Amino acid sequence: MDKNLHIKKLSINDIVRFEQLIKLFADIFEMTEFFMPKRAYLHKLLSKDDFHVFVVLKESSVIGGLTVYTLNQYYCEKPLAYIFDVAVCPQWQRHGVGTTLIQETKLYFQQNGYEELFVQAEKADTHALDFYRKTQPTAEDDVLHFTWEKR
C-alpha cells in the first residue's frame, strides 16, 4: 500500500469522512436511487459502541473503507465483528489497499478481545470472493444466506 495512505477508525467527529465513505459505497454498489441519511442519524450511528467505521485516507479524501457491527454472543463472552460493507475506489483496487484495510481491521478487533471478524459474500460476486480469499480467511463455502424483506 502507498505510504501516503493511512487507515483511520472514525469517531463521532468524522461525519464528513463517513459521508464520503457512504457515497463511495453507493457508487461501487451502483445504488441508483440512493439518498444520504440525515447527519443527525449518521452522528448517532458513529456514537454507538457496536458500530465501527474504518476508512483509507489519501490526504483528506476517503478512497476506501468498511463498516463493522459488533455481535454479542451468548455462547461466549467474546463478541464477534461482522463486516457489513467494504469498498475501495476503482483506481486504488489491486494496489494492496483493501488487503491492508482488512488486516488492520482484523488486528484492531483481535487487540480488543473479539473472537472473530467475518464477512459474507455472494457466490456470484467472484471479484469479492477472490479478494477475500487473498486475505487468507477460513472459508465456509456451504453457507447460505436467507433474507426476509419487507414487502
Side-chain angles (χ1 to χ4, degrees):
M1 186 169 92
D2 185 316
K3 63 184 175 186
N4 294 320
L5 305 178
H6 73 279
I7 296 171
K8 175 178 177 36
K9 184 178 187 303
L10 297 188
S11 72
I12 198 166
N13 300 316
D14 291 310
I15 294 292
V16 171
R17 288 182 174 149
F18 189 25
E19 288 174 332
Q20 289 176 350
L21 179 61
I22 293 169
K23 287 176 187 172
L24 175 62
F25 288 155
D27 289 343
I28 296 291
F29 304 143
E30 300 175 350
M31 300 166 64
T32 56
E33 302 204 14
F34 172 75
F35 295 97
M36 182 67 68
K38 293 179 182 172
R39 278 195 168 181
Y41 175 74
L42 299 178
H43 189 269
K44 182 178 174 184
L45 273 179
L46 286 177
S47 70
K48 292 179 175 265
D49 291 336
D50 61 355
F51 181 70
H52 314 271
V53 182
F54 295 83
V55 295
V56 182
L57 296 168
K58 178 166 177 53
E59 297 166 7
S60 62
S61 296
V62 172
I63 64 158
L66 55 79
T67 56
V68 180
Y69 289 94
T70 294
L71 302 174
N72 291 305
Q73 302 187 77
Y74 43 85
Y75 294 117
C76 175
E77 292 180 22
K78 291 183 174 184
L80 303 172
Y82 170 58
I83 297 174
F84 190 73
D85 280 326
V86 179
V88 173
C89 289
Q91 63 267 33
W92 286 97
Q93 292 176 7
R94 294 177 179 76
H95 294 282
V97 173
T99 300
T100 303
L101 178 62
I102 293 287
Q103 290 169 344
E104 291 294 317
T105 302
K106 185 174 87 174
L107 182 62
Y108 172 86
F109 287 107
Q110 286 173 343
Q111 291 174 340
N112 284 280
Y114 283 66
E115 184 176 8
E116 68 182 38
L117 173 68
F118 70 99
V119 67
Q120 294 178 169
E122 295 178 12
K123 287 185 178 186
D125 190 349
T126 56
H127 178 70
L129 295 175
D130 291 343
F131 166 70
Y132 292 129
R133 286 185 179 118
K134 191 172 82 171
T135 64
Q136 301 177 333
T138 301
E140 297 182 30
D141 291 331
D142 294 329
V143 175
L144 293 175
H145 174 86
F146 296 91
T147 303
W148 290 266
E149 294 182 19
K150 179 180 173 184
R151 301 258 178 206

